[in-house]
Amino acid sequence: MILLLEDDPAIADTVAFALRREGFEVEHRAWLAEAREQLHRAPPPQLLILDIGLPDGHGLDLCRELRAGPLRHLPVIVLSARSDEMDRVLGLELGADDYLAKPFSPRELVARVRALLRRAQAAPPAAPGFVVDGTRVLLDGVALNLTKLELGLLTHLLRAPRRIHSRDALLDAVWGSSAESTDRTVDTHIKTLRAKLREAAPARDPIKTHRGLGYSLEP
Ligand code: CA
């Protein structure tokens, strides 16, 4: 899902239409407060499109907040009303990944969205210390003695390090649609997985809990 934060209804409609036509799911918000609320819900968006001038504040403030929190790796494209060099520099300094000045063509925006999502997906493999060898995982050279479900969880987290995975997403990915699994099932297996990782490499604690959001693997 792509979160679009834009208070100009005409621009928002055009952008949402262009993205949906390309198969993206879009949530549109016009207020910073609404976007903040959406960002605290799971699952987090894959990408944020952020207007700078908003009725209840400055879009770049949200950018700065994001970079200091659990969604710091969320790809962000900033939209600015003028081709103002200051906005561009500030946007990129505050952690935006890309920048577009209005007016822009929706097709250009869709191309940037695709490029950014591709980059975000291609970036991860940096999980130093982990080696996946068929159904075995080694951490710092030590083979981990994992159950099938722990292995499923760990390899899923390793596929996208630093990304926050909601409990629902982990349930879907590892357990499939078996009815008796709940959020607590995920927590229980994360707990035993953590203990095994700690045993193999006591100084590391690579699985991070993000309250209300889920888990990530921080190499
Ligand atoms: Ca605006």
Side-chain angles (χ1 to χ4, degrees), residues 5 13 39-40 61 65 82 87-88 90 94-95 105 118 127 129 140 143 155 169 174 180 183 190 196 198 202:
L5 180 49
D13 284 353
L39 285 162
H40 283 113
D61 288 340
E65 286 163 32
R82 299 157 298 160
D87 278 355
R88 196 181 75 82
L90 253 181
L94 291 177
S105 85
R118 222 173 9 240
D140 294 343
T155 50
V174 180
E180 66 271 37
D183 285 6
I190 288 279
K196 289 179 183 178
R198 208 173 295 131

Side-chain angles (χ1 to χ4, degrees), residues 6-8 11 51-55 81 102:
E6 167 64 69
D7 62 317
D8 181 319
I11 297 176
D51 182 31
I52 290 190
L54 293 159
K102 295 176 190 172

